[in-house]
Amino acid sequence: MDVPGPERRLAAVLAADMVGYSRLMEADERGTLARLKTHRLELIDPAITKNHGRIIKTTGDGMLVEFRSVADAVQCAAEVQRRMARRNADVSPARWMQFRIGVNLGDVIVEDNDIFGDGVNVAARLEVLAEPGGICVSGAVRDQLGDRLDDITFEDLGEQSVKNITRPIRVFRVRFDPDPKAAPGDAKDAAVATTISRKPSIAVLPLVNMSGDPEQEFFADGLTEDIITELSRFRDLLVISRNSTFMHKGKAVKVQEVAREFGVEYVLEGSVRKAGGRIRVTVQLIDAETDRHIWAERYDRELQDIFAIQDEMTRAIVATLPGRVEAATHDRAKRKNTDNMAAYECVLTARVLHHRSIREDNAEAQRLLDRALTLDPNYAHAHAWKACVVGQSWIYGWCADNDAALQQVAAELEIALALDDNDSDVHRILAALNLTRDDHDKAAYHQERALALNPNYDLVVVQQGELLTWLGRPEEGIDWIKKAMRLNPYHPERFWSHLGRACYCAEKYAEAAEAFSRITRPDHTHHASLAATFAQMGNAVAAAAHAAEVLKREPKFSVASYLTTQHYKFDGDRQRHEAGLLKAGLPA
């Protein structure tokens, strides 16, 4: 009796794999998984369904799909790559999600809804040959398609030898015209990117602690942050924020890879050794394209000369970069630093602890700042950071008395402002504080001062976009928020919330929905924003689902009480927000 063998058939097979998955997971595991899930739900899976595909299997960062025809497979691949390029236009290069795709027409073995065999293996090898964001197809696919797809052309890469395939494979690279509907937006993004890229750009890697004392890590990290802050004051220099460059702390890195990740031309690296009352700082400025040192210096001084070292270093760096970036303007209004080095070290450590956003570290940061102010009551920057750290405890609900905490923030800022009107953090926090009081004029004044003092500080830049949105200028706000995302590729998720609100106010509802959807752990306010957004888009099902989620998380939610937390200057913007919330079915 003959036993039937496994089923064989000719199939169009698509293999896809995500580029840089391990790096993105290491940097932000939750965020990467959430964004990948969003792309699949909103883009990839619908494109497969629309083009009559069937997902055979998925891995963490890839998938295998079978199609009824090679035309369907290639059209699906092109749609995914085009639309992913549009999504990446609003994201810094370090956070891009890109796929390589290979498409083959070949013989497969079918077993338990899975497929195996030569047709699958070749598709997988073609995917490896594709460039990020690109598609490679086999000669068989090219021959079947001919010139039937108007917006797609093929580039012949010749015969390629690939792993585990004994015969050479004829490979073609897919070239597809940009999506015509996306052209205006893409052109605008390209124009913005070109404008940004004209500025010399630099990433400052964390200084290596050479003292042999683990406790000095705080000093090395704090000094790195101070150098970034000083460089950020130059308007014609783009400086990547500390949050992003500190992703590489303690790792062996290649300068050219770091520069490619952050999209910068120059990288500063170095080390610091502190012993007793002396400090030695060694730094090198590297041209990433040529991997050539273009400036290096060693500072061996008394510890109290630390601020002079910072000034000399920043002057040398900006004078060395092309065009002598605003070198003459560094004689800015001077900030008032402390003469007490123990107080300075307390502030350095407190700032590093604050960035961790952990309750216990917040309490320790407050203790250190109290000590700094005991050592030097007139240290303005310590007062500013005491306000910032207490403000963090108020935002996260870590303080026993919210009203008392807010009053303490205001009191510390008042002292700091009286001591030093030239500290960008003082004005940044004062702008935020006045915004919570709906005093838009005072908020705008302090925001303008903060931006003038430190135009590359990502928290100041994103706050500029946020403020402009509240002031009824959301289109400008969008540009500022995207600039902040460029300065800090590993930005906090609240940047997406700011972008979503700005897009909503600009009536760019699809972009707003996409921005809010990037938030991995949305609270009831984010669901309220999504409910209003989908209601404005006419998607009643999605709006109702998010409205239900709001009431599940916050049963006492009402539109009227929620709008009291929104700081719109103009009634028209408030009414637009109210209309969306009510249309989604949320209680008035």
Side-chain angles (χ1 to χ4, degrees), residues 91-109:
V91 182
S92 65
R95 291 168 65 92
W96 279 358
M97 280 197 167
Q98 293 179 298
F99 295 92
R100 294 186 176 95
I101 298 178
V103 180
N104 181 43
L105 176 65
D107 191 47
V108 299
I109 301 171

Side-chain angles (χ1 to χ4, degrees), residues 121-142:
N121 296 338
V122 171
R125 298 307 168 214
L126 290 166
E127 170 259 303
V128 173
L129 294 175
E131 58 196 10
I135 307 164
C136 278
V137 304
S138 64
V141 170
R142 171 69 183 89

Side-chain angles (χ1 to χ4, degrees), residues 126-307:
L126 290 166
E127 170 259 303
V128 173
L129 294 175
E131 58 196 10
I135 307 164
C136 278
V137 304
S138 64
V141 170
R142 171 69 183 89
D143 292 342
Q144 281 287 318
L145 281 177
D147 297 322
R148 285 189 287 141
L149 301 181
D150 294 336
D151 55 351
I152 287 176
T153 58
F154 297 93
E155 178 186 348
D156 191 348
L157 300 182
E159 292 190 336
Q160 304 285 328
S161 297
V162 296
K163 183 179 178 182
N164 295 335
I165 304 290
T166 55
R167 68 188 187 283
I169 304 296
R170 187 67 174 270
V171 179
F172 291 82
R173 178 183 291 140
V174 172
R175 296 294 190 196
F176 44 85
D177 298 332
D179 185 347
K181 292 180 287 187
D186 289 351
K188 181 180 177 182
D189 290 332
V192 171
T194 302
T195 301
I196 291 173
S197 66
R198 288 196 191 108
K199 291 184 177 183
S201 50
I202 186 170
V204 180
L205 292 175
L207 295 176
V208 178
N209 171 28
M210 301 294 287
S211 67
D213 179 3
E215 291 297 318
Q216 295 303 327
E217 288 293 332
F218 287 112
F219 185 85
D221 291 350
L223 182 56
T224 305
E225 185 172 347
D226 269 357
I227 293 168
I228 292 171
T229 299
E230 292 303 310
L231 286 170
S232 295
R233 298 181 191 282
F234 295 90
R235 288 188 177 276
D236 288 338
L237 181 64
L238 190 146
V239 185
I240 299 298
S241 82
R242 57 122 14 233
N243 303 65
S244 294
T245 56
F246 269 67
M247 298 297 296
H248 293 287
K249 180 175 169 60
K251 301 176 183 176
V253 297
K254 293 183 179 179
V255 166
Q256 288 175 310
E257 291 179 1
V258 169
R260 193 178 305 114
E261 177 180 351
F262 296 125
V264 296
E265 301 166 275
Y266 302 94
V267 174
L268 185 76
E269 63 177 6
S271 62
V272 58
R273 182 191 300 273
K274 185 171 93 60
R278 293 195 66 81
I279 183 171
R280 174 179 292 174
V281 182
T282 303
V283 286
Q284 305 90 34
L285 181 65
I286 302 168
D287 183 328
E289 184 176 353
T290 61
D291 200 19
R292 181 172 61 89
H293 287 65
I294 57 176
W295 171 80
E297 188 60 82
R298 186 177 75 176
Y299 303 90
D300 196 342
R301 307 274 187 83
E302 296 293 327
L303 184 58
Q304 59 260 32
D305 291 335
I306 187 67
F307 302 117

Side-chain angles (χ1 to χ4, degrees), residues 383-437:
H383 283 288
W385 272 92
K386 182 63 186 294
C388 190
V389 173
V390 173
Q392 184 185 57
S393 73
W394 175 74
I395 290 169
Y396 284 98
W398 296 335
C399 47
D401 187 329
N402 282 343
D403 291 339
L406 209 55
Q407 289 172 7
Q408 186 180 6
V409 170
E412 293 290 351
L413 290 172
E414 186 177 345
I415 296 169
L417 189 64
L419 291 169
D420 184 3
D421 186 41
N422 296 305
D423 189 315
S424 63
D425 278 311
V426 173
H427 291 285
R428 171 178 66 85
I429 304 165
L430 274 168
L433 183 64
N434 281 289
L435 195 57
T436 65
R437 298 168 173 169

